[in-house]
Amino acid sequence: MIRDDMEEREEERQERPLKNKRSQKKRPKRRRRRRNPQAIPILIAMLLIVIVGGVLIGKMLYDKYSPSKELADTKEYFQLTDDQEIAILCDDELLEDKGRLIDGRVYLNVETVYQHLNPRFYWDAAENMYLYALPTELVSTGVGSNEYTISKAKQTEDYVILRADGEHAFVALDFVNKYTNFTYEYWEDPNHVQIVSEFGNKDVVTAQKKAQVRYQAGIKSPILTTADKGSTMYVLEEDEEIGEWTKVLTKDGYIGYVRNKQISAVTQETVQEPEFSEPVYTNISKDYTINLAWHQVTNPDANETIYKVLADAKGLTTISPTWFFLSSDDGSIESLASQDYVNHCHQNGVEVWGLVEDIKYKDTIKDYEIFSKTSSRQRLVSNLIAQAIQYDLDGINLDMEFIKEDSARAYLEFVRELSIMCRLNGIVLSVDNYVPAPHNLCYNRTEQGAVADYVIIMGYDETPSNSEVAGSVASLGFVEKGIQDTLTEVPKEKVINAMPFYTRFWKTDENGEVTFETLGMNGADAKAANNQVEPVWDETTQQYYIEFEYEGSIYQMWMEEERSIEEKLKLVKKYELAGTASWKLGLERAGIWDIILKYVN
């Protein structure tokens, strides 16, 4: 038993040697770390730097990516300089022009009305009158008055219609609205008015929540206005370049940009047109193809040639004698009208449209002075109508060839006012025009076509008398383009195309100087025969052409005769025009009338 105990202890001792050796290893003494009192402030400072840096970075990120809450200066946006100015939005355009807000009423500059709302209003700055030509009545008012006249009958408004401010005149928008189809709404602080003249379906977006409309496409751009949830805005522009933004016009009159995530997809909204009756400018329209020719009359004795003229011409429906000449800046005219002439034409079934022109006294009269002043313009209208009534004329033909940009607006007002009196008296009004070109766009054939009965294209003088190079008077391509361009402005049933009965025989000397001689058809034939030159048909111009050299000079002529005239007449049929005209009687050959009759009957 004792032995057994001893053996057990010995066994236990032998089993522990490694453990005991490990445990008997001498452990190193742990050194006690001494704290550095200077390290704590450094750690705190570093921590503060990290915190401040984080805050600054966070602020930078917030400033960069968060929308600005800055409100735009709306007076500056509308560029208003005083409390009386009012900004103008016309449909989807913010105009540079400014109006006036006076006594709670909107006034627009008369030029703004002309350019953007209704060009039929006419401002006479010389006599301080504002006019509007209705189909059978002339509306007029003066500065500082609440009265206006319609056909000399006085009407009254409860506001001053026209105000003057230095060199500028301002008309009440309500007065313009009486004769123009638009609606408007205005707001104060800041003053701005929104005019709507385009109606029907328009693209809109709806605010899904309160949506900021910003000045430019960017979250940092100032806010112009806020669209309430559910409100609609007109879409002006969806542009890939502005990405997540859409350009809109708000219902309170601001043009700006809204983020796409704040709005719905594009839908449509109908802008209702107000009840408004557009004036109807009725016209006289003949139920036959017009065959007109001009008869140049330069003195009273020349009227006697009408007997021979009508005897030679076949199928003429209308004759236009050059009878009336603008002779003074006050609207006076010189007249060569003859009752016997008219009577003879009527007896032969031919209408007489007396021509009035600004050519004879072009060196002494000024078209601007005649047409820009209401007194001289209306005197001219009265003089012409008096002549038409006295001599029983069927029509008046306007041939104003020196209208420039400065007088064009006044000339059109003259055409309107003359059309009123012609309409009331059953007199045909026709207006002569050059072939459309950039330098004569001021003639405004569109407006002529609205108020006049016929618009006549003077389809000649392709190479004018002052040209430095020789050329055709009326090549077929030139004539056709003139018709095509005119038809973009004037209805075909009002268009008459005029042909030349003349040509020019050109001489270009060895120094390059160009001169010419004007010839009728028989004269052109004689010129070719006398010089022993055989005319050759030119497919490009669709005219017979001659060219020869003599004593160092080159002579050229593009001829008008039966074949070239017929090619021009084919265009009347092709484009279904109202008729043809010819300048001038006496230069044609007898066979021409048979050719014309093929196309006007």
Side-chain angles (χ1 to χ4, degrees), residues 111 114 119-126 131 133 366-378 380-381 398 400 403-418 442-444 447-448:
E111 185 63 21
Y114 178 85
R120 286 195 176 127
F121 278 99
Y122 180 77
W123 166 238
D124 178 351
L131 304 106
K366 298 180 181 63
D367 283 348
Y368 177 81
E369 292 296 322
I370 295 170
F371 296 123
S372 65
K373 293 180 181 177
T374 301
S375 57
S376 57
R377 193 174 58 251
Q378 292 187 350
L380 177 56
V381 169
L398 299 182
M400 303 299 161
I403 301 300
K404 304 300 182 188
E405 192 72 41
D406 65 342
S407 57
R409 193 182 300 186
Y411 171 60
L412 282 169
E413 179 62 14
F414 163 69
V415 175
R416 293 187 200 102
E417 293 176 12
L418 180 59
C442 61
Y443 275 81
N444 195 339
E447 182 68 357
Q448 290 183 28

Side-chain angles (χ1 to χ4, degrees), residues 314-340:
K314 291 182 185 177
L316 206 62
T317 66
T318 314
I319 193 166
S320 182
T322 58
W323 272 350
F324 309 118
F325 314 91
L326 303 187
S327 59
S328 171
D329 290 346
D330 68 358
S332 297
I333 61 172
E334 178 183 299
S335 172
L336 294 175
S338 162
Q339 193 63 63
D340 289 341

